[in-house]
Every structure is written in C-alpha cells, then in structure tokens.
Amino acid sequence: MTLFEDYGAIAGRVVSRNEFNQVSAAERNRRWTRIRDEMAKRGVDCLLLNGNSGRWNEMNANIRYVCGYADPLSGTCYALFPLAGAGTLVTQMTGKRSLFTLSWFEDLRVGQTVDLARIVEERLSDLALIGGTLGLVGIVFRARENIGLPWNLLEEIRKRLPNLKIVDVTDLFFELRSVKSDEEIRCLERSAEIADVGFEAHLKAYRPGITEREYYAAVVHAMDAAGAEPPTFLLLESGPLFKAWLTQDPIPSSRLLDRGDYIVSEASPKFAGYQAQSLQCVVLGAPTVEMKELVKYGAEVWHRCTDRIRPGNTIEQIEHCADDIIEIQPNQAFMSEIGPYGGRSTPRPAWRMNGGYCLISTHGAPRHLNGKYPIEERLMAVIE
C-alpha cells in the first residue's frame, strides 16, 4: 500500500488515486488494532468520539485518526467505533466529495448530528451492546483540557439506553497518538516541506505599498498550492520593533507594511491531517543591532534545548537546560504563580489552590507590586 491509497476503490467507489492526500491502509489497520487492543483492556465495547472544525479543524484530530476524514465545515462531528463491527461517522453538514473519498467508514450519516442519540441507540442495538460499556472520547486541547460530549446529548443517550455504562476514555487517544509511526513521520516531513514553501513566500511576498492582508494571502496561497490541506493555519502580525508587542494574529489587517517593520508569524500547513510547525520573524530592511543580538541569544537557547530532545531525557531537563544563559534584567516584570493541586495523579483531585502576583526584578529583592498580602494568604484567603 502507498501513502496515497485508493480508499474509494476499496469501498467500491470510483475515484482518482491522487485526488486527496491520505495515509495507507496499513497505517489505518495499525491504528484500529491498537485502539481495539486498548478498548479490550479497559472493557470498553464501543467508542463515541466528538470533535469539531474549530482551530483550523485541529479539534477533529481524534475523529480524523479513526475515520480517515474530519469535516472542516461541520461545527460538530461524532464517530462510533465498536470493538467489533463497522464504524459510523456523523457530520453536521452535507457530504462532500472529500468525505466519500477519504472516509474509512461506510456508514456515513451526513447532516444528522441533531439525531445523534437516536443513531447511538440504533447502532448499539444492531451491535447487541445496549447493556455494554460506551467509552466517551472528548477533544483534548492543551494541558488536559477535555472538551466532552454536550450535556443534553449525554442525558438523551442515558434516557434511551438506561442499561448502558458510560465511561470517559479520552486519555486513550492522547497516549496512542503521542508516539508516531514511520508513516506518520513521513506526513510530518511533507508538512514541514510545505512550511518551508511558506517561509520562502515570506521572503518573496513583500513589495512597497502592500498590506498585511495581501502579504498573509501570498503566504497561504503558496502553502495551499504546494499541497497544504485547508483550512491552513497561519498567524501573522507586523509592526515596528520595540513598539506594541506582536502576538501573531489569525486575522490579517489592512495595515501598510513599511521599511523597518518586522513580521512575526506561525505557520502549520496540514498534509494528510498532520501539521509540522514553522515560526519565523522577517525584517523589512536592515536589522538593528538589537535585532541581531536577540537572534544570537535566541539561537543559543534553541540549540541548547533541542540538543536534549532525546529518549531518556525528561521534559523538565529540556525546559531548564538553558537556565544558566537566561539572564534576568533589572526592571523585568514577572507574573509569578503557584498552584499546588496534587500532581498528575489519576484520577486527579477536584481541588486546587492558586496564588501569585506581579513582581519587578531589582538588584536586591524583587519588588512585589501587589504584595501587600503575603503569598500564604493569597494561597488561602479565609472568609468567616
């Protein structure tokens, strides 16, 4: 099987082999085997995954991983994946050509998210699982933020299937997806090549009188033409150095670019659903001495950190490996925060303490700008 396997032909549909980028049937089978092995270990009979097209379709990642397709138009998508038997994909929008070409599931319920509870009841009845265990898979977004199944849908499923046991197994996908197969890495390599095309477009797009929006469009166009899968992730912002902090923005402005500006951006073009990332800073005209110093400093930290991304090292070692060259300057502002909450145990405790305030560095002890009350009181203020 090749990286661009003709899934339409497998499903009895006549489509072109190279219409859309897709991983191979071998990779699909590897995923399904691993997922079902974990389901069996946990006593889960069927998964119900939820996702949506938010954040450039990234929030559909789990559904794409299982189904081969994630609708970039549907605000909401759901997928049922049983331990044995055929899966079901439920979309909010009507089916497009890409859906029927890319989906590994034959049971496609297009435009039917409003009927999710009925579809779950129907499919679990067909599979003789109305008294089994349904594992919910939510959207994992940043540091254990789990966006789960909407409450009204969960309640309706419980009402229709009172003997069904429902558990949360979102962590299953985080574990399975975190380490990539050789084929997945090849997809990331292709995405990185497209990101390089976007970087080259950064260098070629500028001309006097161009707006930030026109510059942004030139970069996205270059990546899409090179094979990126829309919606193509690009954050971009421009301005003079040492003025307002440029945070990168998803919405380009009509601001006219000018000599002396610098442009910061973050690009993550998708290839077969996989995103490598490229962050860059472009200076229009000759860089200042301060800019060059920042580059030297940043590069030193970068090489120090990336050299330690090796099996056997910990994330903490990587995070702190450049501590000795990160020098605190006078009058530097810090938002210091401490939040002990019991570590990373599972299940995690429901309580958390949080305290902190703003400090300014000095040659002596730091200035506590709002330190009228000590940290002990910030961590636990008692109201009697």
Side-chain angles (χ1 to χ4, degrees):
M1 299 293 183
T2 68
L3 188 61
F4 310 111
E5 184 58 50
D6 183 359
Y7 287 103
I10 291 175
R13 295 185 289 265
V14 179
V15 296
S16 170
R17 177 179 296 273
N18 293 316
E19 276 191 329
F20 301 100
N21 298 326
Q22 178 65 293
V23 297
S24 70
E27 170 63 21
R28 175 201 61 190
N29 295 340
R30 182 193 73 88
R31 297 177 189 181
W32 286 3
T33 298
R34 294 178 72 218
I35 294 168
R36 284 175 165 145
D37 285 347
E38 286 299 317
M39 290 171 63
K41 290 177 186 177
R42 300 183 184 208
V44 173
D45 300 302
C46 186
L47 299 178
L48 173 58
L49 302 92
N50 75 283
N52 67 59
S53 57
R55 208 181 139 80
W56 291 270
N57 211 29
E58 289 177 9
M59 290 188 173
N60 267 327
N62 286 335
I63 288 182
R64 178 74 177 263
Y65 191 79
V66 174
C67 305
Y69 177 83
D71 188 352
L73 292 177
S74 289
T76 305
C77 289
Y78 300 99
L80 282 162
F81 185 74
L83 188 61
T88 300
L89 177 60
V90 187
T91 70
Q92 193 172 51
M93 302 294 287
T94 56
K96 310 302 181 184
R97 183 163 56 106
S98 55
L99 165 64
F100 298 106
T101 303
L102 290 172
S103 174
W104 294 329
F105 292 178
E106 287 293 296
D107 185 12
L108 305 174
R109 311 295 180 95
V110 298
Q112 296 184 49
T113 52
V114 67
D115 295 321
L116 178 69
R118 178 188 59 77
I119 292 170
V120 171
E121 179 184 23
E122 174 189 316
R123 290 296 294 123
L124 293 186
S125 297
D126 293 342
L127 295 164
L129 294 177
I130 58 173
T133 299
L134 180 68
L136 302 182
V137 179
I139 305 165
V140 177
F141 181 67
R142 295 192 189 282
R144 304 184 300 275
E145 182 182 355
N146 181 2
I147 303 171
L149 190 70
W151 174 84
N152 60 316
L153 290 175
L154 180 59
E155 287 301 299
E156 188 176 352
I157 290 170
R158 284 176 169 157
K159 186 182 299 184
R160 287 173 174 269
L161 299 166
N163 296 320
L164 184 68
K165 181 180 179 181
I166 301 176
V167 297
D168 183 8
V169 292
T170 304
D171 65 300
L172 182 155
F173 275 79
F174 179 79
E175 294 174 7
L176 292 180
R177 291 175 49 211
S178 61
V179 178
K180 307 300 184 186
S181 69
D182 289 343
E183 185 169 334
E184 289 178 297
I185 291 173
R186 291 200 298 274
C187 290
L188 286 170
E189 289 172 342
R190 184 69 184 102
S191 172
E193 292 171 0
I194 298 171
D196 286 344
V197 172
F199 178 62
E200 292 163 3
H202 278 78
L203 304 179
K204 300 173 183 176
Y206 175 72
R207 64 182 183 274
I210 194 174
T211 65
E212 188 179 272
R213 178 178 289 108
E214 290 171 307
Y215 188 90
Y216 178 104
V219 175
V220 171
H221 171 76
M223 291 190 291
D224 285 359
E229 177 185 294
T232 300
F233 184 110
L234 178 63
L235 305 176
L236 184 147
E237 193 174 10
S238 64
L241 189 64
F242 302 127
K243 297 295 183 180
W245 180 37
L246 303 187
T247 58
Q248 305 167 330
D249 203 297
I251 303 176
S253 74
S254 296
R255 179 185 179 275
L256 290 174
L257 301 182
D258 196 6
R259 306 296 286 181
D261 282 352
Y262 78 118
I263 302 165
V264 293
S265 67
E266 175 183 348
S268 299
K270 286 189 290 295
F271 181 85
Y274 287 82
Q275 290 178 288
Q277 194 171 59
S278 172
L279 290 88
Q280 44 273 312
C281 175
V282 177
V283 180
L284 302 182
T288 64
V289 172
E290 293 89 346
M291 288 177 175
K292 292 179 180 179
E293 284 299 311
L294 285 171
V295 170
K296 289 171 58 179
Y297 178 75
E300 186 175 357
V301 174
W302 167 268
H303 291 300
R304 182 80 69 90
C305 293
T306 56
D307 186 57
R308 285 162 176 77
I309 301 178
R310 305 165 186 262
N313 289 342
T314 65
I315 294 294
E316 185 177 11
Q317 288 173 320
I318 297 168
E319 288 177 344
H320 295 285
C321 68
D323 286 356
D324 60 315
I325 60 174
I326 300 176
E327 181 180 347
I328 295 175
Q329 303 296 315
N331 294 332
Q332 192 168 351
F334 293 85
M335 182 58 220
S336 180
E337 181 177 348
I338 184 169
Y341 59 94
R344 298 184 177 183
S345 59
T346 302
R348 298 181 182 86
W351 53 268
R352 171 178 176 139
M353 296 182 295
N354 189 69
Y357 35 75
C358 187
L359 303 97
I360 301 295
S361 61
T362 73
H363 288 293
R367 290 174 55 207
H368 295 222
L369 294 191
N370 49 346
K372 178 180 178 181
Y373 301 97
I375 188 62
E376 290 80 5
E377 291 189 29
R378 294 277 184 175
L379 279 167
M380 184 175 291
V382 179
I383 302 174
E384 296 182 352

